[in-house]
Amino acid sequence: MDTKKLDALRSRKEDALLGGGLARVHAQHAKKKLTARERIALLCDPGSFEEMGMLVTHRSSDFGMEEQIFYGDGVVTGYGLVNGRLIYVFAQDFTVFGGSLSETHAEKICKLMDMAMRNGAPLIGLNDSGGARIQEGVRSLAGYADIFYRNVRASGVIPQLSAIMGPCAGGAVYSPAITDFIIMVEQSSYMFVTGPNVVKTVTNEEVSAEDLGGAYTHANKSGVSQLTADHDEDCIDKIKQLLSYIPQNCEERAPTINYTPGNELRLELNELIPAVSSQAYDIKTAIEAVVDTHSFFELQELYAENMVIGFARLAGNSIGIVANQPMVLAGCLDVKASKKAARFVRFCDCFNIPLLVFEDVPGFLPGTDQEWNAIISNGAKLLYAFSEASVPRITVITRKAYGGAYDVMNSKHIGADFNFAWPSAEIAVMGAKGAIEIIFKKEIENASDPLHAAIEKEMEYAEKFANPYHAAARGFIDEVIEPSETRIKLIKAFASLVNKVDNLPRKKHGNIPL
Ligand code: HXC
């Protein structure tokens, strides 16, 4: 072949690899941010990444754009392997027009999404963008909508992960919002629908970009993100960890890792529940003791801390954990906790990940704040999510299982496969104190020593109902187990459910109370 032709190709590729040029690459590094290609190189197994559309250029001619052509048009797209498994990835290149989304930039992402769908592999978006390419107007908006549409079509078919590694503002936030997981990098990323300037004009509030939509804000206040990362490398590392728990698509199972059976007794768990029922303990101690060592990968750690969610492995198999946390709000269900758990349950159900629930819940959190913020509809989300889930589902009641919350937290009645209880379980309509104040109100009032009478009645009620045996007698609890044998019981029970089939009635789709 004429070497000139080879040289022409090589020169184009060299230009493309430079993105928006060295000065802009240095500016990116000065902000402690990696470039799009550096991020992809960290994500994919060495030598596995294949770029698609490297030579794509924009078609814009307004505002002198015809003189500013950069190969790739602000986004690097392609496929590669992460720990040997196929993924599709796009990384917005901030060095080219601030990673802004043009018509062609959107076309590249859409093409990638279509391929990820057709080939049943996760889609990973590394977002770092100034939003709509201002010079392109409505063509850019159309591009966003094309992406949103595909995000929705792909939802529940392939896992979609969004890393926010720079700006993500305006309507652009809605693509990550539709995806399954959002990971934000501390200090260098933010997400908001309207930025600080607009907020100031409209509401007169003074707020920084970081406070309005930084990584901590979305981890702690809004619950929009599931994970935060200290820096770009940490972000990529967390994406890899997350991928290790989930399957390639909705037809497959999550990868398993080799597991050698050993001593599965966890004697320390017999000491976990305090003698006094009102005393708190950390449910994460139970989770960590029961699942494979160091396998618990918590999500949304700083949001609705009264509910703990995350992935783990049990005997090498991926599971999703949903657990009340007695250390925070006594483990009550509230609006945020219900939403947090419901979305996670639905993710696990979409992708064939069995669910393990640890239950210690005194009920729904009372108060005007909760009622006015629709604890009715939000609590119903969790009830709906569990009831609809057809994956293997097991509940372990460690202590309280009161009232409606008993039903909601993956009870036998809403389709759980196995319900275990520890001897410390208290399965009742409500706690003893509340109960006797209602049913023995007159008797206590009329007693010569009301305080003494109340204590006696409370003890009587607790003796009768604050235990797992009424529920076990009815078969609502399959077995009352010693805490120390929980891991053994769960390994066996999940193994027995490995071929579970539970088809929902034929329908277009349900109508979850959103
Ligand atoms: C075209 C853009 C751009 C954009 C940045 N650039 N945003 N070009 N369209 N939206 C370019 C800049 O001109 C600059 O080019 C380079 O990218 C880097 O930008 P800087 O401003 O120098 O960087 P920085 O100081 O880090 O600020 C980043 C930024 C800021 C905060 C993102 O650029 C910014 O506010 N951009 C505009 C954001 C915005 O309003 N977008 C539209 C939102 S509405 P040079 O040549 O100097 O390197 C929207 C609607 C989506 O997105 C709707 C979907 C439904």
Side-chain angles (χ1 to χ4, degrees):
M1 188 192 297
D2 182 353
T3 54
K4 278 194 193 139
K5 292 199 170 172
L6 278 178
D7 289 343
L9 169 66
R10 286 173 188 155
S11 147
R12 278 181 163 80
K13 286 195 168 177
E14 271 167 31
D15 281 355
L17 292 176
L18 274 179
L22 276 180
R24 292 190 182 96
V25 170
H26 292 321
Q28 178 84 344
H29 287 162
K31 290 184 209 155
K32 296 201 166 63
K33 288 161 65 179
L34 298 174
T35 63
R37 284 196 174 79
E38 286 166 347
R39 288 166 175 166
I40 290 177
L42 270 182
L43 176 70
C44 293
D45 298 348
S48 71
F49 179 67
E50 288 296 324
E51 186 168 342
M52 301 177 332
M54 187 190 245
L55 301 181
V56 166
T57 54
H58 69 70
R59 295 187 279 260
S60 182
S61 54
D62 297 315
F63 305 107
M65 287 295 278
E66 68 277 14
E67 272 142 42
Q68 297 185 65
I69 303 283
F70 295 93
Y71 287 125
D73 202 27
V75 64
V76 180
T77 55
Y79 63 94
L81 302 177
V82 173
N83 293 322
R85 299 163 73 207
L86 178 68
I87 54 102
Y88 288 81
V89 59
F90 70 85
Q92 289 177 314
D93 183 353
F94 195 81
T95 68
V96 175
F97 303 115
S100 57
L101 188 130
S102 65
E103 184 181 24
T104 42
H105 178 129
E107 281 169 5
K108 284 179 73 176
I109 296 176
C110 288
K111 184 170 163 186
L112 188 82
M113 295 174 86
D114 292 342
M115 290 190 75
M117 281 272 274
R118 278 202 301 275
N119 296 296
L123 177 81
I124 297 161
L126 309 180
N127 296 268
D128 187 0
S129 165
R133 175 88 46 91
I134 294 167
Q135 295 89 333
E136 292 209 5
V138 72
R139 283 171 290 151
S140 164
L141 301 186
Y144 272 117
D146 289 338
I147 294 170
F148 302 157
Y149 177 73
R150 282 168 176 77
N151 283 135
V152 174
R153 292 277 154 147
S155 181
V157 181
I158 51 169
Q160 301 180 78
L161 276 60
S162 300
I164 314 298
M165 307 181 84
C168 183
V173 296
Y174 287 113
S175 170
I178 296 166
T179 65
D180 299 301
F181 297 102
I182 294 180
I183 307 176
M184 292 187 73
V185 181
E186 299 263 13
Q187 301 303 324
S188 59
S189 74
Y190 53 80
M191 290 179 86
F192 35 66
V193 175
T194 47
N197 293 342
V198 178
V199 170
K200 168 85 180 130
T201 311
V202 177
T203 70
N204 211 25
E205 287 170 289
E206 297 258 10
V207 63
S208 66
E210 183 64 26
D211 283 350
L212 185 63
Y216 181 75
T217 297
H218 287 308
N220 173 261
K221 285 193 166 75
S222 72
V224 162
S225 70
Q226 281 73 33
L227 288 164
T228 49
D230 296 339
H231 40 70
D232 282 15
E233 288 85 350
D234 187 36
C235 178
I236 300 295
D237 195 50
K238 288 198 162 117
I239 294 173
K240 290 185 191 179
Q241 283 186 60
L242 194 48
L243 283 171
S244 75
Y245 291 94
I246 59 186
Q248 293 292 92
N249 56 60
C250 64
E251 305 294 343
E252 293 188 14
R253 292 190 180 172
T256 56
I257 62 167
N258 279 343
Y259 158 73
T260 321
N263 177 9
E264 316 292 11
L265 264 185
R266 298 290 180 265
L267 290 174
E268 69 275 21
L269 287 181
N270 284 351
E271 312 300 322
L272 181 66
I273 306 296
V276 180
S277 167
S278 56
Q279 212 173 314
Y281 64 95
D282 190 351
I283 198 66
K284 291 184 201 173
T285 311
I287 296 170
E288 268 152 17
V290 164
V291 302
D292 297 354
T293 313
H294 302 314
S295 74
F296 182 47
F297 185 67
E298 188 172 354
L299 299 168
Q300 291 194 293
E301 205 175 335
L302 299 178
Y303 180 78
E305 291 168 71
N306 44 328
M307 180 67 84
V308 176
I309 60 167
F311 296 110
R313 289 192 184 86
L314 191 67
N317 298 307
S318 195
I319 55 170
I321 306 260
V322 176
N324 307 116
Q325 172 57 287
M327 302 273 280
V328 181
L329 294 173
C332 269
L333 282 179
D334 64 356
V335 170
K336 288 179 171 180
S338 303
K339 285 201 287 191
K340 170 179 172 178
R343 183 150 168 82
F344 182 66
V345 166
R346 281 168 74 80
F347 175 83
C348 290
D349 192 44
C350 286
F351 292 105
N352 312 314
I353 300 171
L355 286 161
L356 171 59
V357 174
F358 286 96
E359 178 172 1
D360 186 347
V361 59
F364 284 96
L365 186 67
T368 49
D369 173 65
Q370 288 296 307
E371 296 296 346
W372 295 346
N373 281 299
I375 185 59
I376 296 175
S377 321
N378 286 295
K381 282 179 189 152
L382 184 54
L383 175 59
Y384 192 109
F386 272 129
S387 302
E388 183 186 45
S390 58
V391 287
R393 293 193 260 143
I394 301 182
T395 300
V396 178
I397 301 178
T398 58
R399 193 169 59 182
K400 294 169 189 157
Y402 290 165
Y406 157 75
D407 282 347
V408 170
M409 286 298 291
N410 199 35
S411 62
K412 176 69 75 200
H413 325 283
I414 62 168
D417 299 289
F418 285 101
N419 297 72
F420 297 115
W422 289 359
S424 45
E426 304 169 18
I427 305 170
V429 174
M430 57 174 71
K433 194 168 174 341
I436 60 121
E437 278 167 11
I438 297 167
I439 56 178
F440 299 118
K441 187 170 178 232
K442 287 214 175 81
E443 230 173 303
I444 292 169
E445 276 172 6
N446 297 335
S448 54
D449 181 351
L451 192 65
H452 182 75
I455 292 170
E456 260 191 355
K457 288 290 178 204
E458 205 176 317
M459 280 165 61
E460 187 187 330
Y461 185 91
E463 177 81 20
K464 246 192 196 135
F465 292 113
N467 63 59
Y469 300 109
H470 287 281
R474 301 222 161 248
F476 301 159
I477 293 296
D478 298 293
E479 194 179 350
V480 182
I481 60 172
E482 293 197 21
S484 60
E485 57 183 354
T486 307
R487 179 172 160 83
I488 304 170
K489 295 284 178 187
L490 290 174
I491 291 174
K492 285 185 177 171
F494 275 121
S496 77
L497 298 170
V498 79
N499 291 323
K500 177 182 173 184
V501 177
D502 177 17
N503 291 320
L504 292 177
R506 207 183 69 80
K507 61 175 105 172
K508 194 168 172 200
H509 61 72
N511 189 14
I512 188 166
L514 293 174

